[in-house]
Amino acid sequence: MDTAESGQNPWRFAQCFGDKSDSDNDITEADIISTVEFDHTGDYLATGDKGGRVVLFERNESKKGCEYKFYTEFQSHEPEFDYLKSLEIEEKINRIKWCKRQNSAHFLLSTNDKTIKLWKVFEKSIKVVQENNVTSGYTGPGPIPGVTPSQLRLPQMAVQENIVAAVPRKVYANAHAYHINSISINSDGETYISADDLRINLWNLGISDQSFNIVDIKPVNMEELTEVITAAEFHPNHCNQFMYSSSKGTIKLADMRQSALCDNAAKLFEEEEDPSQKSFFSEIISSISDVKFSKDGNYILSRDYLTLKIWDIRDEKAPVKKINIHEHLRGKLCDLYENDCIFDKFECTWSGNGDQVLTGSYHNYFRIYDVNESGDKDAVLQADKSAFKAKKIGGPKGQGKGPNGTGKKEGLQTENIDFAKKIIAATNNLFLYSTLT
């Protein structure tokens, strides 16, 4: 296990699922993880991959610390072909969302580019006949030799084993003309939203053949299109509120009580650009790739190409905290534009208690920031096979030593960065980290 020095990095490598060999020859495109999602309790974890599979893990209570064990897996989506548009639809899982648990079964939503499915996962007992009265060699009919009527016993069923079954309960299809980028379940437990580049639809979990379009930014003339929707999420406490981000760097908070079509936002969060930093790439790098509400719903976390921002939901003027993630890449935007890396999308999330925020980077690094700390002090961890070798990862900005025992951190220098290794959907391995407490 990779345990950091006390006082520098309170995070440690805890566990890994997947191929532990050094060879990548056996890894196929279908094995690459495309999404990861904890349930509301943290006791269960779901992963989706590019092959359309969903794998579930549960907390291992027999182990000390935060460790998980395999629970079940199932094929969620298959490749399809849209004959009207002559378009192949990949089976890759874009998003997974857990429904709040109401009984012993689990319900979760999974989606690829076009179709959303509601899955029920439950434990099922397999029963077999435990005993019968037929002796070997008896062919009947007539009484069983050596058995009196008082000795007859009725056949009994006994539990042979328990299995975990997954069955699709609902299939929500044909509601999006463009690729689905987000799904979010409402706090009422009855509805959810799904978003693509131009529209957001509102669904009832129990109705699969009808949805309501609540946001539509598609212009009459597609040549006039200036922005697209990049992410959407319901407020964690208020079932009438949701937010969505755009490629123009804006976050819009909408209230479904105001009108049936929520194109006019109740609040608009947008940071004014510094004129001295304006360039040809400004619009591209300002595009927001992910947004998340804090658990209490009072703050919004957003991620664009270079920065991570925390907004107070009561203050639209400016973010309360701005964290530079890729500031060392600002001078290389031209090269990143040439190889299309400038269009890469990174996700972000809050910790369970809201004290930390996390986001991904290149070279399979991810960064954890303390919300209450001043400045950009962070913990830098690397999710790759070096974790099996207890390879030490140093802290940022010279805190601690790098993995090679030097004062430099491998991968944080621009000349050493492997832009093909992104923390989101980088490998077929699932890495678990936990705090030292």
Side-chain angles (χ1 to χ4, degrees), residues 193-388:
I193 54 174
S194 58
D196 63 26
D197 288 348
L198 300 179
R199 293 188 177 97
I200 299 177
N201 293 331
L202 175 67
W203 300 83
N204 187 298
L205 282 166
I207 303 173
S208 59
D209 59 353
Q210 185 181 27
S211 64
F212 297 95
N213 180 221
I214 56 175
V215 173
D216 188 349
I217 65 170
K218 182 179 180 181
V220 176
N221 183 359
M222 285 297 285
E223 293 182 358
E224 299 175 358
L225 181 67
T226 59
E227 66 177 330
V228 295
I229 298 168
T230 56
E233 186 176 68
F234 262 120
H235 192 282
N237 302 320
H238 303 307
C239 61
N240 54 288
Q241 296 180 6
F242 68 95
M243 67 173 171
Y244 61 97
S245 58
S246 82
S247 58
K248 275 193 169 181
T250 62
I251 304 170
K252 295 179 181 180
L253 181 66
D255 192 332
M256 292 189 293
R257 296 174 299 184
Q258 291 184 342
S259 63
L261 198 61
C262 302
D263 290 348
N264 295 320
K267 288 189 176 183
L268 176 65
F269 302 87
E270 182 180 15
E271 184 182 31
E272 291 187 12
E273 185 180 6
D274 184 354
S276 63
Q277 298 284 350
K278 192 169 185 178
S279 69
F280 169 78
F281 308 105
S282 295
E283 187 172 337
I284 301 174
I285 62 176
S286 66
S287 175
I288 297 175
S289 57
D290 195 22
V291 286
K292 292 287 193 306
F293 277 111
S294 61
K295 191 174 182 179
D296 58 11
N298 291 331
Y299 296 92
I300 295 171
L301 178 67
S302 68
R303 172 68 200 267
D304 56 44
Y305 189 73
L306 296 181
T307 65
L308 195 65
K309 297 185 180 79
I310 299 175
W311 299 81
D312 189 322
I313 201 171
R314 296 152 292 193
D315 183 7
E316 308 166 57
K317 297 179 182 178
V320 294
K321 193 176 184 67
K322 182 177 179 180
I323 302 169
N324 294 317
I325 307 295
H326 288 158
E327 190 63 26
H328 54 289
L329 298 180
R330 189 177 290 276
K332 291 185 172 289
L333 294 180
C334 186
D335 294 336
L336 294 167
Y337 180 80
E338 291 293 331
N339 62 18
D340 287 340
C341 285
I342 199 172
F343 300 104
D344 288 336
K345 300 180 185 303
F346 294 92
E347 298 177 21
C348 59
T349 191
W350 296 85
S351 64
N353 59 9
D355 289 339
Q356 290 93 23
V357 293
L358 179 148
T359 191
S361 183
Y362 289 108
H363 215 74
N364 291 345
Y365 282 97
F366 63 95
R367 299 186 173 199
I368 303 171
Y369 295 85
D370 194 318
V371 175
N372 303 314
E373 290 281 346
S374 60
D376 293 353
K377 185 178 180 181
D378 62 347
V380 181
L381 300 170
Q382 188 177 29
D384 67 0
K385 291 176 183 176
S386 63
F388 296 118

Side-chain angles (χ1 to χ4, degrees), residues 177-189:
Y178 304 95
H179 293 174
I180 298 171
N181 56 47
S182 300
I183 53 176
S184 178
I185 300 175
N186 201 347
S187 59
D188 62 12

Side-chain angles (χ1 to χ4, degrees), residues 55-106:
V55 182
L56 304 184
F57 302 89
E58 67 174 336
R59 190 186 294 271
N60 192 349
E61 299 294 347
S62 63
K63 297 283 187 179
K64 293 183 178 180
C66 184
E67 290 196 17
Y68 289 79
K69 60 183 178 180
F70 173 82
Y71 187 58
T72 189
E73 71 173 284
F74 55 90
Q75 188 71 32
S76 177
H77 286 72
E78 301 283 354
E80 303 173 38
F81 189 81
D82 188 336
Y83 292 96
L84 293 177
K85 297 181 179 179
S86 297
L87 183 68
E88 290 185 5
I89 301 173
E90 292 183 339
E91 63 271 35
K92 183 189 80 168
I93 307 298
N94 290 345
R95 288 288 184 270
I96 295 173
K97 292 295 178 183
W98 294 80
C99 301
K100 286 188 177 179
R101 198 170 181 180
Q102 305 292 334
N103 49 43
S104 59
H106 301 275

